[in-house]
């Protein structure tokens, strides 16, 4: 199964893909690390993001998308643009799950990845997206998804 982890920050969607086959995790190479939307007030910008994101999911045959949940109110609330990006991601035929940062932290503490992040062929900004994809795989493996 191939899962795409997504972290939404401001006007950017940072992604990391992770597969689990034959009891082995693999990080497939991907042509894109992040998607940016410069002006979320423009309908065309959101449409372009939606098309580009879903074309990537189709090209890489992703089975599931998982997004890191953001607060809706308060000091740590996500931006309006990030919620627009989330909606654009969610309108797809693929299953989309949202996992809270607390649940991610608990799962990583209970079952940490058996690899050093620096040894993976990923950029540092992709770590949270990788973590949420790893957590979702574990939820599926252990029947908690």
């Amino acid at each position: 199964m191939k899962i795409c982890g997504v972290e939404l920050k401001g006007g950017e969607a940072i992604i990391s893909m992770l597969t689990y086959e034959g009891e082995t995790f693999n990080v497939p190479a991907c042509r894109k690390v992040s998607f940016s939307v410069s002006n979320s007030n423009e309908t065309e910008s959101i449409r372009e993001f939606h098309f580009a994101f879903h074309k990537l999911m189709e090209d890489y045959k992703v089975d599931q998308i998982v997004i890191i949940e953001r607060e809706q109110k308060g000091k740590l609330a996500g931006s309006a643009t990030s919620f627009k990006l989330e909606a654009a991601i969610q309108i797809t035929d693929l299953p989309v799950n949202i996992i809270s940062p607390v649940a991610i932290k608990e799962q990583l503490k209970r079952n940490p990845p058996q690899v050093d992040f620096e040894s993976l062929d990923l950029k540092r900004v992709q770590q949270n997206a990788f973590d949420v994809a790893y957590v979702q795989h574990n939820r599926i493996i252990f029947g908690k998804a």
Side-chain angles (χ1 to χ4, degrees):
M1 172 173 274
K2 188 179 287 184
I3 294 178
C4 178
V6 181
E7 179 185 24
L8 298 170
K9 281 183 158 182
E12 187 174 34
I14 302 164
I15 67 166
S16 177
M17 293 192 197
L18 185 65
T19 63
Y20 183 74
E21 296 168 2
E23 298 188 17
T24 304
F25 287 102
N26 291 306
V27 178
C30 185
R31 69 177 179 253
K32 202 99 161 123
V33 171
S34 68
F35 295 86
S36 294
V37 174
S38 56
N39 187 358
S40 67
N41 292 329
E42 296 290 325
T43 304
E44 198 54 39
S45 293
I46 299 299
R47 283 190 179 136
E48 287 171 6
F49 166 79
H50 173 77
F51 176 80
F53 187 88
H54 291 289
K55 180 67 175 144
L56 187 80
M57 297 302 109
E58 183 182 293
D59 290 351
Y60 284 91
K61 295 177 178 45
V62 171
D63 298 305
Q64 194 173 115
I65 301 167
V66 62
I67 302 170
I68 300 171
E69 183 179 29
R70 289 149 347 281
E71 293 293 325
Q72 294 184 14
K73 297 186 225 174
K75 288 182 190 176
L76 302 175
S79 70
T81 300
S82 72
F83 287 104
K84 286 181 179 184
L85 298 182
E86 180 180 313
I89 291 169
Q90 286 179 317
I91 51 176
T92 182
D93 294 334
L94 296 173
V96 178
N97 291 292
I98 298 174
I99 302 177
S100 75
V102 172
I104 295 167
K105 193 173 186 177
E106 287 172 0
Q107 179 68 39
L108 290 173
K109 188 175 183 181
R110 213 175 13 252
N111 190 8
Q114 300 299 311
V115 66
D116 183 33
F117 184 80
E118 277 72 35
S119 67
L120 301 174
D121 193 24
L122 295 173
K123 297 188 185 318
R124 191 90 189 121
V125 298
Q126 291 178 281
Q127 182 157 9
N128 291 336
F130 169 83
D131 287 346
V132 74
Y134 176 77
V135 165
Q136 182 64 11
H137 270 297
N138 277 289
R139 288 175 144 201
I140 292 167
I141 292 165
F142 298 114
K144 298 190 182 190

